[in-house]
Amino acid sequence: MELDHFMKGCIRRNPGQKEFHQAVEEVAASVLPFMKSDKKYKGVNILERMTEPDRILIFRVCWEDDNGNVRTNRGFRVQFNNAIGPYKGGLRFNRSVNLSILKFLGFEQTFKNALTTLPMGGAKGGSNFNPRGKSDREVMRFCQSFMTELYRHIGPNIDIPAGDIGCGAREVSYLFGQYKRLRNEFVGTLTGKGLSFGGSPIRTEATGYGSVYFAREMLATKGESIEGKTCLVSGSGNVAQFTIQKLIDLGAKVVALSDSSGYVHDPKGITHEKLEYIIDLKTNRHGRIKEFADEFGCTYHPGKKLWEVPCDMAFPSATQNEITEEDAQQLLKNGCMLVSEGANMPTSIAGVHLFQDAKILYAPGKASNAGGVAISGLEMTQNSIRMTWSREEVDTKLQEIMKNIHAQCVEYGQKKGHIDYVKGSNIAGFVKVSDAMLAYGIV
Ligand code: NDP
Ligand code: 2IT
């Protein structure tokens, strides 16, 4: 009832932004009942305030393609909340990008960043520019044009962008190079940089590794381990690649992965050698996952989703709403006992409810994929102190941070021996950000 009332207001204020409504509803369902437990939340409209971004920047991005045509894209930066630290979050370059998607991502980022224990606020940005099929020079010209507007709104103590879908090492490098030229200063205003110019060890791997470390923590609550488990990993980009790598290292068997065209099923399991092929295919050659099936003689399923393959554990690592209610039903029917979200909001609300009702180990992205932004936070620290830590040091810190996030979920989400990670992560993130906002008065 209370949730319905809150959501009516949210929908009225943000018409047509269905992904944003979805992200808010998931948080409000956990937080509204919790707010009754303390009178400091009474009469201050704190959740309304937290669902309104601090500011949104929208700008024109013009560039010239290889054939001399003038192209126009739209650039965005949603600076959602800087109550606990400077704005921080990735840039998404994909045809589907719109304000609803970036607002949902910026909102989730605010809670996620609070969970990392590091001082970072939440933001997200990007463009409806699609790097797929573009030459390196076209991507460069787009990135330089994008930064020519964005640079005036960001800075190492203001807002620190990074990558996301369609924005990897190549794009971050072009963006950082242009920022540096315009400002004439070398500071850590972007994260995910190359290792020779201020990047942190393990940042490339961090989201995927973190998602597996989080799964390991969840399994430990049941006295179980990763070893021997059959896994599905959707996507085949940055997050999927290093989720697969860590799963193989820890003795799991990954039998399927995908891209936006379909999935490949490899019952023998992905090996390190096959993974190297995938990394080269997707990161360097920008190819299609079908080529993996041709190369290694396994089956390719065009236009299908991999959730129909039986598994013990699922790691959705592609995009939002890739697990529908039907997909969740299918996973549960096949005996899936753990879902660790590498992507942001990959499960529809109906799917989340099915996982919660089935009481499987289910981690929402804001908890399980926080390793990426956490290491971005450590990249900022290293840039500030002008030092680089070793891989081992950063990996140890990543494991500690994922443990800590798990502990926060247990603190706020445990009920009768079961851990509701959705409730736990939403409340833990909310407590930290709202405490700061309330301390500032009416802001
Ligand atoms: P990449 O661009 O490296 O890879 C994205 C992958 O997802 C590709 O395989 C892509 O397929 C697939 N994909 C993209 N859109 C769709 C779609 N609409 N339907 C099906 N498949 C799709 O991005 P990342 O790996 O960095 O990001 C993946 C997810 O992880 C996103 O949800 C992102 O927000 C989230 N995330 C990323 C972090 C990071 O550090 N990079 C941190 C935390 C979360 P194709 O090759 O066909 O385009
Ligand atoms: O969704 C995310 O957390 C990211 N894309 C990473 C953001 C970052 O600033 O590293």
Side-chain angles (χ1 to χ4, degrees), residues 77 88-92 105 109 112-113 120 123-124 160-165 191-192 203 207 239 342-344 365 369-377 380:
R77 186 71 177 166
K88 178 82 195 93
L91 297 170
R92 179 174 290 191
L105 288 163
Q109 196 81 44
K112 184 196 308 192
N113 292 4
M120 298 183 289
K124 200 82 185 193
I160 304 93
D164 193 77
I165 293 178
T191 59
R203 175 61 189 89
T207 311
V239 178
N344 287 305
N369 74 34
V373 74
I375 302 311
S376 278
M380 290 160 63

Side-chain angles (χ1 to χ4, degrees), residues 137-354:
R137 285 289 165 83
E138 289 177 326
V139 171
M140 179 192 77
R141 288 194 291 272
F142 166 80
C143 288
Q144 291 181 341
S145 180
F146 183 87
M147 187 51 83
T148 301
E149 173 58 34
L150 188 67
Y151 88 101
R152 67 186 93 245
H153 307 289
I154 61 177
N157 298 312
I158 302 171
D159 182 354
I160 304 93
D164 193 77
I165 293 178
C167 183
R170 174 182 59 171
E171 290 76 13
V172 168
S173 304
Y174 290 144
L175 291 163
F176 181 68
Q178 182 72 350
Y179 178 84
K180 190 173 66 57
R181 285 167 79 195
L182 292 166
R183 280 261 187 239
N184 190 28
E185 58 178 14
F186 195 111
V187 288
T189 298
L190 280 110
T191 59
K193 300 185 291 298
L195 291 178
S196 64
F197 50 94
S200 174
I202 303 279
R203 175 61 189 89
T204 308
E205 297 88 342
T207 311
Y209 281 14
S211 168
V212 179
Y213 292 149
F214 198 88
R216 187 170 63 182
E217 293 301 313
M218 293 200 287
L219 287 165
T221 66
K222 304 261 183 213
E224 295 228 28
S225 77
I226 303 252
E227 203 179 343
K229 299 271 191 306
T230 299
C231 306
L232 309 177
V233 180
S234 67
S236 45
N238 172 268
V239 178
Q241 290 165 12
F242 294 97
T243 299
I244 296 172
Q245 189 177 86
K246 188 52 76 179
L247 283 170
I248 302 174
D249 285 346
L250 297 180
K253 188 172 175 189
V254 179
V255 295
L257 74 158
S258 63
D259 66 15
S260 58
S261 308
Y263 79 87
V264 291
H265 183 199
D266 184 356
K268 286 196 230 123
I270 312 287
T271 57
H272 280 301
E273 183 210 348
K274 292 177 186 172
L275 179 60
E276 247 174 62
Y277 176 90
I278 294 163
I279 295 176
D280 180 53
L281 172 73
K282 282 296 181 180
T283 311
N284 302 329
R285 294 194 280 124
H286 307 285
R288 310 307 300 152
I289 203 64
K290 176 184 184 302
E291 296 168 50
F292 175 90
D294 299 341
E295 177 78 14
F296 294 103
C298 57
T299 55
Y300 174 63
H301 305 261
K304 293 267 210 150
K305 289 202 267 180
L306 71 179
W307 312 124
E308 62 192 21
V309 178
C311 71
D312 302 313
M313 312 202 290
F315 293 82
S317 308
T319 193
Q320 65 274 358
N321 290 323
E322 53 172 314
I323 299 184
T324 61
E325 184 174 12
E326 294 72 38
D327 297 327
Q329 260 158 359
Q330 179 82 54
L331 282 164
L332 291 171
K333 204 172 104 208
N334 287 341
C336 174
M337 48 86 76
L338 178 148
V339 177
S340 182
E341 295 184 344
N344 287 305
M345 206 169 75
T347 311
S348 68
I349 288 208
V352 171
H353 291 161
L354 284 177

